[in-house]
Amino acid sequence: MKHKKRLLPILLSGTILAGIAVPVHAQEAPAVQPGLTTDDTIRSIVVNGSQRLEPGTVLSYMKLRVGQTYTQESADQALKDLFETELFKDVSIRNNAGAVVIDVVENPVINRILLEGNKRIKDDAIRPEIRLAPRQIFTRSKVRADVARIIELYKRKGRFAASVEPKMVQLDQNRVDIVFEVNEGPKSKVQQINIIGNEVFSDGKLRGEMVTKQSRFYRFFSSSDTYDPDRLAFDQQKLRQFYLTEGYADFRVISAVAELTPDKKDFIITYVVEEGERYKFGDVSVESEIRDFTAETLTPLLPMQEGDFYDAKQVEDTVESLSETAGLFGYAFADVRPEFNRDKDTLTMGITFKVAESDRVYVERIDINGNTLTQDKVVRREFRLNEGDAFNSFQVKRSANRIKSLGFFQDELEIEQKQGSAPDRIILEANVEERATGELQLSAGFSSVENFILQASVRQRNFRGKGQELRTSVSYSSFSQSIELGFTEPYLFDRNIAVGVDLFRRDLNSFNFVGDDRETTFEQLTTGFQVRAGVPITEYLSASLRYGLSHDDVTLDRDLFFTDSDGDGFRGNSDADTCDPLVAGRFLCDALGKRTTSSIGASLIYDDRDNRVRPTRGQTVVGSLDFAGLGGSVKYLRGRLNAAKYWRVLGNFIFSVSAEGGYIHPLENRGSAADGIDDVRLTDRFFLGEPQIRGFDIRGVGPRVIRARFTPEIVDGRAVNSIIDFREDRDSVTDDAIGGRAYYLGRAELEIPLGSGARELGLRPSIFVDAGAVFNVTQPLLVENRVQAVDTNGDPLFITVNDDGALVNTTDAVDANGVANEPSLVAGSFTEQFFGDSASPRVSVGIGVNWNSPFGPFRIDVARALLKEPGDDTKLFTFNVGTQF
C-alpha cells in the first residue's frame, strides 16, 4: 500500500505531538504548569481543546472539584487519571489563583487499518488478531497488544524472527490510518536436536520417534523441521511413550530447552533424559465384579505373559480390549482399570486389571443429527441395533462402518454413546455431516490405437435422499461409443431387497489407417437391458440374481472386405456378396451377423470390509455364474471368481491384494478347429488390458491377429522382402484382439500415508504390481504372405509367397486366350500373424496418485510392463479427472 502522506512511527512508549515523537514514561505525567499559588481554593475549572468529548465528561474522569484546595499532589493525580483513560494524546493543567485551566489534546480516531509486507500469512488470517477497528479511539496500549498478537501468530507459524512496526498516517479532522508494517523474516528451523543421558538407544533412534526433525535439504516438502513449541511438548510425550513400550517404566524427561542460534534464525533443542531400569511383567491377572466376566476365563486370554518385557502400549490395548469385550455382553459403561505393582528390587511390574461392577445396558434411543438431505430411515436401516435391544459394542462399530460405506457422510463418522435416563439405558447418537453424493466424472486418456479417449458420467448415489442410485454415462473414442442408464433401489418397499435395471447401447469398432484414411475393420453394435435383485443371507453374505437380454449386430466394411460374388463389378453392394476371408481374415468373417443373447445369472457375495468406498481392512469374495441359452441364439456357461483383502500395516499404510479369474464354456458346436472356428463367439470372450491391468493398452493383452501391409518386389519369380516384422512400426498395422476363453488377474497395492498437509489436500499415492493373462482360443486361419495381383485381363489374383520368397499357387497359368498369365502386383498385399495365446503372466509395476483436487477427484498412473508376450500392446501413462456436486 502506497501512501502520499508521510508515515509516522508509533512510539509505543511515548506520545506524538505535531508529528514529533515525545517520550512519555509509564509512571510519569507532564509537570503541572505553575501558577501564582499552589494551595488556592479552586474557584473554577475550564477545559480547553476537547472536540469529541464534552467538558463535563473530561471533568468526570478526575477528582478535582470546585471548592477543593488546589495542591501539587491533587494536580498530579488528575493528570494520571486523565492519561489512564487513553483518550488523550497530551494533557496540561494550569492554576491561576484558583482558576484552573485544563488543556487537552484528544487521541485521533482510526480511519482504517492496513497491513503491509505480509506474504506468508494472508490478511484474512491476521485481521482476527487485531483488536483495533475503524472509528475507535487510537491508543498505544491497544497497538502494543495487537503487535504482540501478530508476532505470536508468526511464531506459531515458525517465524520467530518476524517483527511488526506500527505506523500511522495523519489525516484531517484528527483522523489517522494505522499501518502495520510486517517483516516476516525467515522460517525458524530446528538446526540440531541434542539428547543427553541416553545410553540404551542412540540419538538417531530417538530422533526417529519424534515429530520434530532436524533441518536437512531433502525436507523441503515437509514442515517437520520447523520449530513449534507445542510440538516440543508433544515430542516429550512421544519419547516417554517409546521408552514405556520398551519396558523403561521409570523414564522421564528432565528438561527440554529450545535456544535460538546467535543469528536468531534457527533453534537448537536439547533434551536431558533419565532412562532408568528396564522392567518385565510380573504377575498379570484379571479381577472382575461382573457376573459374565470371570478371572479364570479372562486371565489366560491376556496378551502379556510373566517374564515378558513391560510394554505400556500393550497394557492400554488390553484395557480397550476388555472394555470392548464387556460391550459385547451389553456392559456399555464397564470400568476397566489396571492396578500396577512395581517392584524395584526384582524390576518387575505386576498388573491386575480390575473390572468394576456395572449394569447391563439397553438402547433407549437412537438419534440422528446433521442429515439435511438424507432421510432418517436411510441411516436407521444401517444400524445393527434397534431401540430396546441389549447394547453390543461390536454391533455399534459395525453400524458405523455400514453408515460410512453408504458414502453419503464424512469418513470420520462415529456413533457417540451417551448415558440414558437410567443407569441401564444408553442413547446412541449419530452426528453425520453430509457431503456431495452427486458425481460428474470426466476421464481422458491417450492410446496408440485410439489416440484420444473421452468418457463422461453423471451419477447420483443418494437420489431424493432415499439412498437410491441414478446414473448415466457416455463414452467416446476412436474405438467405442456408448450410452448407459441405470437405476438402483437398495430397499424395495422398505425391505432389505435391492433391485435395479440397466439400459445400454454400445458401439465398439476396430480400425486401421491407410495413409491418412481410416478403415473400420470390425464393428459391434449392442443394445440391451438387465434387471437385477439382491438379498442378504447373513450380515456379511448376500446373493443376487440377474436377467439380461441383448442384441448384437456385428458388421465389416462391405466395400473393403466383401467379394463380388454376383459378378456385377461391385463388392459388398448386394446380399449375394460374401465376406472374403483372404481380405478380412476368417476370424472376422466368422463374427459377422446378428444374434440375441438371453442370459440368467447368480452371484454369491461375502463382504466384511470396514468401508466399501475406501476400505482399510477386511475382505470380499464374489462368485458368479451366468447361463446364456434361455432363448436367443447364443449358448454358453460363464463363471467368475473375484477376491480382495485389505490390511492396515506399518501404522497407516494400507496394503491390499486382489485376484480374479474366469472361464467361459461353449454349449454349442459352431465348427471345427481345423477351420479356425472357436465355439465361443468373438463378442463373448474375455479381454484384458487397461484399466484392469495397468501398463497395457485397452485390450492390449492376450490373443490377437496382427495384419501387416507390404508391397513385395518380384525378382526372377521370387518375392523380395516379403516377410514383415510388425514391431518396426506398430501404428501401420491392423491389430485385432480376439480374446480368450479364460483369464486371470492379480494385483498388490500399497497405499502410502502422507503428512497432515498432504492429507488435507486429499493426496493418496500408492505403488502397485499387476499381473494377468487371457488365453485359450482356437487359432484362426491366417492369410500368410499373401500377395495381391491382377492377371492380364485385370482380374484379381492371389499368390502365396513361401518363406524363401518363391511364388506358388498361381490361380491360372494362362488366360482364356491361352496367353501366359503374368501377374501384375498391386498395393494392398499383406501378411497375418497370430500372437498372445499364452497363460504366461504379464506383469507391470507402477505408481499412482489419487487426488481430491478442487475441480474433482483426479487419478494418475504411471506403469511399466516388466513381463509381456509378443503382440502385447503396452501403455505408460493414464489419468482421469472428475467432479462432485
Side-chain angles (χ1 to χ4, degrees):
M1 179 73 66
K2 300 297 184 182
H3 302 281
K4 294 182 179 180
K5 297 189 177 181
R6 184 166 59 92
L7 287 174
L8 300 177
I10 299 174
L11 301 181
L12 299 181
S13 61
T15 61
I16 297 178
L17 295 175
I20 302 174
V22 180
V24 175
H25 299 289
Q27 302 300 325
E28 297 181 2
V32 178
Q33 297 294 328
L36 296 177
T37 63
T38 60
D39 57 356
D40 294 333
T41 299
I42 301 175
R43 294 180 290 104
S44 64
I45 302 176
V46 178
V47 177
N48 294 330
S50 59
Q51 298 178 356
R52 296 182 305 274
L53 299 174
E54 295 293 332
T57 303
V58 177
L59 293 175
S60 68
Y61 293 136
M62 61 183 184
K63 298 178 180 178
L64 286 179
R65 295 292 184 269
V66 174
Q68 293 178 352
T69 301
Y70 181 87
T71 64
Q72 184 71 38
E73 291 76 12
S74 62
D76 289 342
Q77 184 61 46
L79 286 173
K80 290 180 181 179
D81 291 341
L82 291 176
F83 273 109
E84 284 178 357
T85 66
E86 295 190 333
L87 297 174
F88 308 103
K89 183 190 300 183
D90 190 26
V91 179
S92 64
I93 298 178
R94 291 179 286 116
N95 176 26
N96 185 13
V100 178
V101 179
I102 302 175
D103 296 313
V104 298
V105 178
E106 293 180 351
N107 273 330
V109 175
I110 298 173
N111 178 57
R112 57 178 177 166
I113 298 174
L114 306 172
L115 291 166
E116 289 187 352
N118 56 308
K119 296 179 180 178
R120 301 296 180 179
I121 303 180
K122 302 301 182 184
D123 289 8
D124 293 343
I126 296 178
R127 288 194 178 278
E129 304 295 329
I130 299 175
R131 300 293 184 264
L132 287 173
R135 294 183 297 279
Q136 285 185 356
I137 303 298
F138 166 82
T139 64
R140 293 193 307 277
S141 61
K142 291 182 180 179
V143 172
R144 186 184 302 111
D146 286 345
V147 168
R149 280 189 290 268
I150 295 172
I151 291 177
E152 182 61 30
L153 179 62
Y154 272 94
K155 285 182 178 180
R156 291 200 297 267
K157 297 294 183 181
R159 297 183 180 273
F160 283 78
S163 62
V164 179
E165 183 178 358
K167 296 183 178 180
M168 68 180 183
V169 180
Q170 295 280 7
L171 303 175
D172 56 1
Q173 299 179 357
N174 200 21
R175 295 176 304 126
V176 293
D177 286 343
I178 305 299
V179 181
F180 291 98
E181 290 189 349
V182 180
N183 180 11
E184 296 181 315
K187 204 167 189 178
S188 299
K189 302 287 187 179
V190 177
Q191 187 181 98
Q192 188 173 340
I193 299 176
N194 299 321
I195 304 173
I196 300 173
N198 56 311
E199 296 178 359
V200 179
F201 299 102
S202 66
D203 288 7
K205 176 64 177 177
L206 297 181
R207 292 190 193 109
E209 297 297 324
M210 300 178 186
V211 176
T212 304
K213 304 298 181 184
Q214 296 181 131
S215 178
R216 296 294 183 266
F217 72 91
Y218 51 81
R219 292 198 173 103
F220 53 88
F221 277 136
S222 173
S223 62
S224 61
D225 58 352
T226 302
Y227 175 72
D228 186 339
D230 294 334
R231 195 183 293 163
L232 183 67
F234 181 70
D235 283 336
Q236 295 180 57
Q237 293 300 319
K238 293 283 288 183
L239 284 175
R240 178 165 175 75
Q241 289 175 7
F242 170 71
Y243 270 94
L244 288 177
T245 58
E246 296 293 332
Y248 294 88
D250 295 329
F251 172 83
R252 64 193 183 102
V253 178
I254 298 174
S255 66
V257 179
E259 298 176 303
L260 274 171
T261 55
D263 58 6
K264 296 185 178 181
K265 291 183 179 180
D266 296 325
F267 279 85
I268 297 175
I269 300 175
T270 303
Y271 294 94
V272 179
V273 301
E274 182 181 319
E275 293 179 322
E277 299 292 340
R278 193 176 192 186
Y279 285 74
K280 292 184 178 181
F281 282 111
D283 181 46
V284 183
S285 61
V286 177
E287 292 183 3
S288 174
E289 298 178 3
I290 298 179
R291 181 187 57 188
D292 300 304
F293 275 35
T294 63
E296 294 76 11
T297 303
L298 296 175
T299 299
L301 301 178
L302 296 178
M304 68 280 293
Q305 301 295 327
E306 185 175 354
D308 294 345
F309 283 111
Y310 173 72
D311 186 342
K313 180 65 167 57
Q314 199 171 42
V315 175
E316 292 178 5
D317 292 343
T318 302
V319 170
E320 183 178 351
S321 176
L322 290 174
S323 299
E324 289 182 355
T325 305
L328 294 177
F329 290 90
Y331 299 96
F333 304 110
D335 183 14
V336 181
R337 296 183 181 180
E339 286 191 358
F340 298 91
N341 181 20
R342 181 181 310 187
D343 190 332
K344 294 187 177 182
D345 295 330
T346 60
L347 296 179
T348 58
M349 183 75 73
I351 302 177
T352 301
F353 294 96
K354 291 194 172 183
V355 184
E357 183 179 3
S358 62
D359 296 325
R360 188 184 295 273
V361 178
Y362 297 86
V363 179
E364 177 180 349
R365 192 172 71 248
I366 296 176
D367 293 337
I368 301 169
N369 304 320
N371 54 318
T372 57
L373 172 66
T374 307
Q375 297 181 6
D376 267 19
K377 68 177 182 180
V378 174
V379 182
R380 289 184 181 276
R381 65 196 183 195
E382 301 301 328
F383 271 86
R384 302 296 91 184
L385 291 168
N386 294 318
E387 294 171 349
D389 289 350
F391 175 83
N392 186 302
S393 59
F394 175 79
Q395 297 291 14
V396 173
K397 183 179 292 186
R398 176 62 182 166
S399 300
N401 288 338
R402 287 181 64 93
I403 295 172
K404 287 188 285 188
S405 294
L406 294 173
F408 305 161
F409 311 109
Q410 77 276 18
D411 292 334
E412 297 78 16
L413 181 143
E414 297 290 343
I415 297 177
E416 295 185 19
Q417 304 168 21
K418 295 184 176 182
Q419 181 67 58
S421 59
D424 63 344
R425 296 289 184 266
I426 190 172
I427 297 173
L428 301 180
E429 187 175 278
N431 295 307
V432 300
E433 180 182 337
E434 290 188 316
R435 62 183 182 185
T437 55
E439 297 177 1
L440 170 62
Q441 184 169 357
L442 300 174
S443 60
F446 297 90
S447 165
S448 60
V449 177
E450 301 193 67
N451 292 332
F452 188 72
I453 308 165
L454 178 64
Q455 294 178 329
S457 65
V458 179
R459 180 187 179 199
Q460 175 53 261
R461 294 180 288 109
N462 190 16
F463 184 58
R464 299 187 300 165
K466 294 184 176 182
Q468 300 167 336
E469 181 178 304
L470 181 65
R471 65 187 181 277
T472 180
S473 64
V474 177
S475 68
Y476 175 83
S477 71
S478 302
F479 179 80
S480 65
Q481 301 86 43
S482 68
I483 181 170
E484 300 187 19
L485 301 172
F487 176 78
T488 302
E489 168 56 69
Y491 277 76
L492 183 64
F493 306 126
D494 290 329
R495 297 184 177 274
N496 202 355
I497 301 174
V499 296
V501 61
D502 301 296
L503 307 174
F504 54 86
R505 183 178 177 87
R506 306 184 186 105
D507 185 3
L508 307 176
N509 59 74
S510 182
F511 60 90
N512 67 306
F513 287 92
V514 178
D516 294 331
D517 298 327
R518 168 177 158 168
E519 294 180 351
T520 299
T521 59
F522 173 87
E523 184 172 5
Q524 176 186 353
L525 183 62
T526 304
T527 305
F529 72 91
Q530 182 184 80
V531 293
R532 43 195 163 74
V535 294
I537 300 175
T538 67
E539 175 64 23
Y540 302 112
L541 187 65
S542 61
S544 65
L545 296 173
R546 56 189 169 274
Y547 172 76
L549 181 66
S550 62
H551 178 74
D552 292 300
D553 185 6
V554 181
T555 60
L556 294 175
D557 190 325
R558 300 174 69 89
D559 291 336
L560 293 175
F561 302 111
F562 277 57
T563 60
D564 181 15
S565 300
D566 54 9
D568 62 358
F570 297 97
R571 293 194 295 173
N573 69 325
S574 69
D575 293 337
D577 296 337
T578 59
C579 177
D580 189 344
L582 296 178
V583 179
R586 190 175 298 276
F587 67 96
L588 289 181
C589 290
D590 171 64
L592 292 180
K594 299 180 180 179
R595 60 187 63 91
T596 301
T597 302
S598 175
S599 65
I600 187 172
S603 295
L604 195 62
I605 304 119
Y606 178 84
D607 188 353
D608 68 352
R609 293 173 296 173
D610 61 340
N611 191 319
R612 289 190 293 269
V613 178
R614 190 177 297 170
T616 62
R617 61 178 178 272
Q619 52 271 323
T620 177
V621 181
V622 180
S624 62
L625 191 65
D626 290 275
F627 168 71
L630 202 66
S633 54
V634 177
K635 295 178 175 61
Y636 62 75
L637 189 66
R638 179 171 59 201
R640 286 184 176 179
L641 181 64
N642 297 11
K645 186 172 179 61
Y646 301 84
W647 298 269
R648 190 182 292 274
V649 298
L650 301 175
N652 291 323
F653 288 81
I654 299 173
F655 179 65
S656 63
V657 293
S658 61
E660 61 178 281
Y663 183 79
I664 181 169
H665 178 72
L667 299 178
E668 56 182 329
N669 186 359
R670 301 177 54 246
S672 64
D675 296 328
I677 298 175
D678 196 289
D679 289 336
V680 178
R681 288 178 171 82
L682 177 68
T683 54
D684 299 323
R685 299 170 195 162
F686 295 114
F687 293 88
L688 196 60
E690 184 198 345
Q692 301 99 328
I693 179 169
R694 292 160 288 192
F696 292 86
D697 210 340
I698 297 175
R699 296 190 174 188
V701 172
R704 61 208 323 100
V705 174
I706 295 180
R707 172 175 295 200
R709 296 180 179 274
F710 67 100
T711 304
E713 178 183 359
I714 304 300
V715 178
D716 296 330
R718 293 181 180 273
V720 180
N721 297 326
S722 61
I723 307 302
I724 300 299
D725 184 357
F726 74 93
R727 285 162 290 195
E728 293 180 358
D729 187 2
R730 189 65 180 265
D731 293 338
S732 66
V733 303
T734 302
D735 185 345
D736 290 306
I738 61 175
R741 294 189 186 185
Y743 86 100
Y744 66 87
L745 175 64
R747 173 178 301 157
E749 188 160 4
L750 181 66
E751 185 176 307
I752 303 170
L754 297 179
S756 58
R759 285 199 303 270
E760 290 175 1
L761 292 175
L763 290 173
R764 293 185 294 115
S766 63
I767 57 176
F768 57 83
V769 177
D770 293 346
V774 59
F775 53 95
N776 192 8
V777 68
T778 301
Q779 178 174 334
L781 295 182
L782 304 176
V783 181
E784 298 180 349
N785 302 332
R786 183 71 62 175
V787 179
Q788 185 173 351
V790 294
D791 61 13
T792 54
N793 296 322
D795 295 327
L797 297 174
F798 289 92
I799 305 172
T800 299
V801 182
N802 288 339
D803 290 343
D804 62 358
L807 303 179
V808 295
N809 296 335
T810 303
T811 304
D812 294 303
V814 295
D815 62 13
N817 299 322
V819 179
N821 200 347
E822 296 292 340
S824 175
L825 299 179
V826 298
S829 303
F830 56 86
T831 182
E832 288 181 341
Q833 300 179 63
F834 176 68
F835 294 98
D837 190 12
S838 169
S840 298
R842 281 69 158 180
V843 179
S844 65
V845 61
I847 58 175
V849 177
N850 280 307
W851 176 32
N852 292 334
S853 67
F855 47 88
F858 183 92
R859 172 79 190 190
I860 182 172
D861 288 300
V862 179
R864 181 176 181 83
L866 299 181
L867 294 179
K868 60 181 181 178
E869 293 293 315
D872 291 343
D873 198 0
T874 60
K875 184 177 183 180
L876 180 65
F877 172 84
T878 57
F879 73 91
N880 64 72
V881 63
T883 189
Q884 295 184 334
F885 62 91

